[in-house]
Coordinates of all heavy atoms in Angstrom, one line a residue:
G1 N 0.8 -1.2 0.0 CA 0.0 0.0 0.0 C 0.8 1.3 0.0 O 0.4 2.3 0.4
G2 N 2.1 1.1 -0.4 CA 3.0 2.3 -0.4 C 3.9 2.4 0.8 O 4.9 3.1 0.8
D3 N 3.5 1.7 1.9 CA 4.2 1.8 3.2 C 5.7 1.4 3.0 O 6.6 2.0 3.7 CB 3.5 1.0 4.3 CG 2.2 1.6 4.8 OD1 1.9 2.7 4.2 OD2 1.6 1.0 5.6
L4 N 5.9 0.4 2.2 CA 7.3 -0.2 2.1 C 8.3 0.9 1.5 O 9.5 0.8 1.6 CB 7.3 -1.5 1.3 CG 6.7 -2.7 2.0 CD1 6.8 -3.9 1.1 CD2 7.4 -3.0 3.3
L5 N 7.7 1.8 0.8 CA 8.5 2.8 0.1 C 8.8 4.0 1.0 O 9.5 4.9 0.5 CB 7.8 3.3 -1.2 CG 7.3 2.1 -2.1 CD1 6.6 2.7 -3.4 CD2 8.4 1.2 -2.5
D6 N 8.3 4.1 2.2 CA 8.4 5.2 3.1 C 9.1 4.7 4.4 O 8.6 3.9 5.1 CB 7.0 5.7 3.4 CG 7.0 7.0 4.2 OD1 7.8 7.1 5.2 OD2 6.2 7.9 3.9
A7 N 10.3 5.3 4.7 CA 11.0 4.9 5.8 C 10.3 5.0 7.1 O 10.4 4.2 8.0 CB 12.3 5.7 5.9
E8 N 9.4 6.0 7.2 CA 8.6 6.2 8.5 C 7.5 5.2 8.6 O 7.1 4.8 9.7 CB 8.1 7.6 8.5 CG 9.2 8.7 8.7 CD 8.6 10.1 8.9 OE1 7.4 10.2 9.0 OE2 9.4 11.0 8.9
L9 N 7.0 4.8 7.5 CA 5.8 3.9 7.5 C 6.2 2.4 7.4 O 5.4 1.5 7.7 CB 4.8 4.2 6.4 CG 4.2 5.6 6.5 CD1 3.3 5.9 5.3 CD2 3.4 5.8 7.8
S10 N 7.3 2.1 6.8 CA 7.7 0.7 6.5 C 7.8 -0.1 7.7 O 8.6 0.2 8.6 CB 9.0 0.7 5.7 OG 9.5 -0.6 5.5
P11 N 7.1 -1.3 7.7 CA 7.2 -2.2 8.9 C 8.6 -2.9 8.9 O 8.9 -3.5 9.9 CB 6.1 -3.2 8.6 CG 5.8 -3.1 7.2 CD 6.1 -1.7 6.8
A12 N 9.4 -2.7 7.8 CA 10.7 -3.3 7.8 C 11.7 -2.4 8.6 O 12.8 -2.8 8.8 CB 11.2 -3.5 6.4
G13 N 11.3 -1.2 8.9 CA 12.2 -0.3 9.6 C 13.0 0.5 8.7 O 13.9 1.3 9.1
K14 N 12.9 0.4 7.4 CA 13.7 1.1 6.4 C 13.0 1.1 5.1 O 12.2 0.1 4.8 CB 15.0 0.3 6.3 CG 16.0 0.9 5.3 CD 17.3 0.1 5.4 CE 18.4 0.6 4.4 NZ 19.6 -0.2 4.4
A15 N 13.1 2.1 4.3 CA 12.4 2.2 3.0 C 13.1 1.3 2.0 O 14.3 1.1 2.0 CB 12.5 3.6 2.5
L16 N 12.3 0.7 1.2 CA 12.7 -0.1 0.0 C 12.3 0.7 -1.2 O 11.5 1.6 -1.2 CB 12.1 -1.5 0.0 CG 12.4 -2.4 1.2 CD1 11.5 -3.6 1.2 CD2 13.8 -2.7 1.3
T17 N 12.9 0.3 -2.3 CA 12.6 1.0 -3.6 C 11.5 0.1 -4.3 O 11.3 -1.1 -4.0 CB 13.8 1.1 -4.5 OG1 14.2 -0.2 -5.0 CG2 14.9 1.8 -3.8
A18 N 10.8 0.8 -5.2 CA 9.8 0.1 -6.0 C 10.4 -1.0 -6.8 O 9.8 -2.1 -6.9 CB 9.0 1.1 -6.9
F19 N 11.6 -0.8 -7.3 CA 12.2 -1.9 -8.1 C 12.5 -3.1 -7.2 O 12.4 -4.2 -7.7 CB 13.5 -1.3 -8.7 CG 13.4 -0.3 -9.8 CD1 14.5 0.4 -10.3 CD2 12.1 0.0 -10.3 CE1 14.4 1.4 -11.3 CE2 12.0 0.9 -11.3 CZ 13.1 1.6 -11.8
Q20 N 13.0 -2.8 -6.0 CA 13.3 -4.0 -5.1 C 12.1 -4.7 -4.8 O 12.1 -6.0 -4.7 CB 14.0 -3.4 -3.8 CG 15.4 -2.9 -4.0 CD 15.9 -2.2 -2.8 OE1 15.2 -1.7 -2.0 NE2 17.2 -2.0 -2.8
C21 N 10.9 -4.1 -4.5 CA 9.7 -4.7 -4.2 C 9.2 -5.6 -5.4 O 8.7 -6.7 -5.2 CB 8.6 -3.7 -3.8 SG 9.0 -2.9 -2.2
I22 N 9.2 -5.0 -6.6 CA 8.8 -5.7 -7.8 C 9.7 -6.9 -8.0 O 9.2 -8.0 -8.3 CB 8.8 -4.8 -9.0 CG1 7.7 -3.7 -8.9 CG2 8.6 -5.6 -10.3 CD1 7.8 -2.6 -9.9
H23 N 11.0 -6.7 -7.9 CA 11.9 -7.8 -8.1 C 11.7 -9.0 -7.1 O 11.8 -10.2 -7.5 CB 13.3 -7.3 -8.1 CG 14.3 -8.2 -8.8 ND1 14.1 -8.7 -10.0 CD2 15.5 -8.8 -8.3 CE1 15.2 -9.5 -10.4 NE2 16.0 -9.6 -9.3
Y24 N 11.5 -8.6 -5.9 CA 11.2 -9.6 -4.8 C 10.0 -10.4 -5.2 O 10.1 -11.7 -5.2 CB 11.0 -9.0 -3.5 CG 10.5 -10.0 -2.4 CD1 11.5 -10.8 -1.8 CD2 9.2 -10.1 -2.1 CE1 11.1 -11.7 -0.8 CE2 8.8 -11.0 -1.2 CZ 9.7 -11.9 -0.6 OH 9.3 -12.8 0.4
A25 N 8.9 -9.8 -5.6 CA 7.7 -10.5 -6.0 C 8.0 -11.4 -7.2 O 7.5 -12.6 -7.2 CB 6.6 -9.5 -6.3
L26 N 8.7 -10.9 -8.2 CA 8.9 -11.7 -9.4 C 9.9 -12.8 -9.2 O 10.0 -13.7 -10.1 CB 9.4 -10.7 -10.5 CG 8.3 -9.8 -11.1 CD1 9.0 -8.8 -12.1 CD2 7.2 -10.6 -11.8
T27 N 10.6 -12.9 -8.1 CA 11.5 -14.0 -7.9 C 10.9 -15.0 -7.0 O 11.5 -16.0 -6.6 CB 12.8 -13.5 -7.3 OG1 12.6 -12.7 -6.1 CG2 13.7 -12.8 -8.3
R28 N 9.6 -14.9 -6.6 CA 8.9 -15.9 -5.8 C 8.4 -17.0 -6.8 O 8.0 -16.6 -7.9 CB 7.7 -15.4 -5.1 CG 8.0 -14.3 -4.0 CD 9.0 -14.7 -3.0 NE 10.3 -14.1 -3.5 CZ 11.5 -14.5 -3.1 NH1 11.6 -15.5 -2.2 NH2 12.6 -13.9 -3.5
P29 N 8.5 -18.2 -6.5 CA 8.0 -19.3 -7.4 C 6.6 -19.1 -7.8 O 5.7 -18.7 -6.9 CB 8.2 -20.6 -6.5 CG 9.3 -20.2 -5.6 CD 9.1 -18.8 -5.2
G30 N 6.3 -19.2 -9.0 CA 4.9 -19.2 -9.5 C 4.4 -17.8 -9.9 O 3.4 -17.7 -10.6
V31 N 5.1 -16.7 -9.6 CA 4.7 -15.4 -9.9 C 4.9 -15.1 -11.4 O 6.0 -15.3 -11.9 CB 5.4 -14.3 -9.0 CG1 5.1 -12.9 -9.5 CG2 4.9 -14.5 -7.5
A32 N 3.9 -14.5 -12.0 CA 3.9 -14.1 -13.4 C 3.9 -12.6 -13.6 O 4.6 -12.1 -14.5 CB 2.8 -14.8 -14.2
S33 N 3.0 -11.9 -12.8 CA 2.8 -10.5 -13.1 C 2.6 -9.7 -11.8 O 1.9 -10.3 -10.9 CB 1.7 -10.3 -14.0 OG 1.5 -8.9 -14.4
V34 N 3.1 -8.5 -11.7 CA 2.8 -7.7 -10.5 C 1.8 -6.6 -10.9 O 2.1 -5.8 -11.8 CB 4.1 -7.0 -10.0 CG1 3.8 -6.1 -8.8 CG2 5.1 -8.1 -9.5
M35 N 0.7 -6.6 -10.3 CA -0.4 -5.6 -10.6 C 0.0 -4.3 -9.8 O -0.3 -4.2 -8.6 CB -1.7 -6.1 -10.2 CG -2.2 -7.4 -10.7 SD -2.6 -7.3 -12.5 CE -1.1 -8.1 -13.2
V36 N 0.5 -3.3 -10.4 CA 0.9 -2.1 -9.7 C -0.2 -1.2 -9.6 O -1.0 -1.0 -10.5 CB 2.1 -1.4 -10.4 CG1 3.3 -2.3 -10.4 CG2 1.8 -1.0 -11.8
G37 N -0.4 -0.6 -8.4 CA -1.5 0.4 -8.1 C -1.1 1.7 -8.6 O -1.0 2.7 -7.8

């Protein structure tokens, strides 16, 4: 929901980039497409 891209909101404690989030999803087994909001 955008939280991972914001250091203050990210539950990971640190901001990630959109590219990193997309790449993470696409490297999970079975994943074909990421529906971006």
